[in-house]
Amino acid sequence: APAAAAAATPAETRAETALRLALLAADLAPTPERVATLPDGRKMNCRQLLLEALRLDPKLASAYTNLGYNVSPTERVTLPDGRVMSKTDLYVEALRWDRGHWSAYYNLVAISAAKGPIKLSDGRRLDQRQLLLNAFHFNRIQNEQPKKAAEILFRLSMPLSSGETVTLLDGRRLTEMHLLLEAIKLDPDRGEAYANIVPLMHAAGFVNVNLPDGRVLNAQQMCLEALRCNPALENMYIDLGVSLSSTHATIQLPDGRVMNQRQLYLEALQYAPDEDTALLNLSMTMNMSETVLLNGRRYGKIDLLKRVLTINPHEPSARMQLQMLAMFAKSK
């Protein structure tokens, strides 16, 4: 159904009208087929509203950014002044008029991943990390969308090697652990951040880690917190299984279920059927007479080990166990 646009006030400037149209376009964006009826009777969809906004105010950064989001990677759009721009051009143009427009930096990250550093109109050439750093910096200055800021920090943490740091534009130098903790501070329900802290704890020999909210969690509790936020994190089930002292020990999950090692590995395989570590660890909970049901098929211990090697031919433990089982069978 058409959306009715509020009539312009007599004293409204062209820039104010442009901003109003851009905001109306943002409301229409989730459903591109919708149109808005302007006070003069014209009907416009999201893209047409943004182009009209740029006709009225060619310096409106948000209109360039939203138009870029509305354009496909291979498409080019003709602006009211006759210029023809690609998706990249539109984001760069937004930053020409507003250097602090954080969403333009953020939207350029994916383009940089495919095309390399992006040259801005002020001469700067920014790679993916620099684009993310600028996006985070200006997002925090404007105090907008903390969950998006948390996502940016999470993405900044992913390529870091042990001991490496990232220097934020405010001068702080953060390790991978610190980036993840900052992400949790902004978005306490980001399960992947808790999950990525777990291997860092193991590598550094940390027994506990202090969270931004004051809680102190060990690695097992960190796994549970990750699953509270996102039950589909298969590695957390594997880590919990490894953390149990025996095949008979159990642990209660955030959803109330109580599981032993075997059940945890089976749960991991529900989310990632080809997770070779889960398959290998599952085989180690079984004797030769037992079977488990996976995706409608029964597997014995040897079947699981063979499947591990099908997925990962270089897995040494599975190969060694198969050789030992074969030698044991011959000796009988």
Side-chain angles (χ1 to χ4, degrees), residues 62-113:
S62 63
Y64 289 107
T65 298
N66 290 342
L67 188 57
Y69 191 77
N70 193 259
V71 169
S72 72
T74 57
E75 191 178 359
R76 299 178 73 83
V77 63
T78 302
L79 300 187
D81 61 9
R83 290 178 297 165
V84 179
M85 290 193 173
S86 66
K87 194 179 190 76
T88 304
D89 297 331
L90 289 165
Y91 294 141
V92 169
E93 188 69 7
L95 292 170
R96 176 187 176 193
W97 299 112
D98 181 1
R99 184 178 171 130
H101 198 62
W102 72 267
S103 57
Y105 289 109
Y106 181 79
N107 291 341
L108 282 169
V109 173
I111 297 172
S112 175

Side-chain angles (χ1 to χ4, degrees), residues 215-228:
R215 287 179 297 161
V216 180
L217 302 189
N218 61 29
Q220 192 179 74
Q221 293 166 326
M222 199 72 73
C223 291
L224 292 171
E225 189 66 12
L227 291 174
R228 178 191 68 79

Side-chain angles (χ1 to χ4, degrees), residues 133-148:
L133 286 169
N134 276 274
F136 177 78
H137 180 72
F138 291 110
N139 173 287
R140 292 297 78 213
I141 288 176
Q142 295 157 31
N143 198 27
E144 293 183 350
Q145 299 188 34
K147 288 182 181 292
K148 185 63 72 174

